[in-house]
Amino acid sequence: QVQVEESGGGLVQPGGSLRLSCTASGLILAKNVIGWFRQAPGKEREAVSCISRFDGDTPSTAYTEAVEGRFTISRDRAKNTVYLQMTDLKPEDTAVYYCATKSTWWCGNRWRDFSWDDWGQGTQVTVSS
């Protein structure tokens, strides 16, 4: 049985930083594409970032324009963990952040529309002074 879990959320002031973690039991994250999503109250779920299964010559990560340059997605294969490093946080980043997995190889240019296999329960990020 696969269980995905996010952690690292919390309350931070504008301009601050947080690092979110995505871990899984019953699943090797290194064999999956991993996506980060977020949903703010009263708003639709938004795709945030994606990391491919493999490193390669083509880009292996993707970001929505709203976070590009501020957020960084990465893997620690030894720890079976995927991170989302969030810097220069803004109030509009406030949302519940979710990690999702898919047994495929590349994010490509259609990752926002993937049918994701497993989801975590979400971790709250609040950016406020």
Side-chain angles (χ1 to χ4, degrees):
Q1 186 174 355
V2 174
Q3 184 168 295
V4 180
E5 184 174 1
E6 307 92 339
S7 62
L11 175 64
V12 65
Q13 292 186 327
S17 299
L18 287 172
R19 187 179 73 168
L20 306 183
S21 298
C22 175
T23 60
S25 61
L27 183 71
I28 301 175
L29 295 184
K31 295 183 178 181
N32 287 263
V33 166
I34 308 298
W36 283 99
F37 300 80
R38 65 187 182 186
Q39 188 165 22
K43 298 183 179 179
E44 295 184 353
R45 187 179 65 196
E46 178 187 17
V48 176
S49 186
C50 182
I51 187 166
S52 297
R53 175 177 174 178
F54 300 112
D55 296 328
D57 293 333
T58 57
S60 60
T61 59
Y63 303 90
T64 191
E65 290 185 9
V67 308
E68 191 156 15
R70 299 188 296 119
F71 292 9
T72 302
I73 190 170
S74 63
R75 293 183 183 269
D76 187 330
R77 298 176 187 271
K79 295 182 178 180
N80 198 35
T81 302
V82 172
Y83 302 103
L84 185 68
Q85 177 65 238
M86 310 164 67
T87 64
D88 192 24
L89 284 161
K90 303 176 179 181
E92 48 264 48
D93 296 318
T94 296
V96 177
Y97 283 71
Y98 299 91
C99 175
T101 73
K102 185 173 181 62
S103 181
T104 190
W105 295 266
W106 305 105
C107 297
N109 59 2
R110 306 235 67 87
W111 63 277
R112 294 171 176 83
D113 301 320
F114 282 173
S115 296
W116 297 88
D117 297 330
D118 295 283
W119 292 82
Q121 82 292 335
T123 185
Q124 175 70 231
V125 172
T126 302
V127 184
S128 177
S129 60

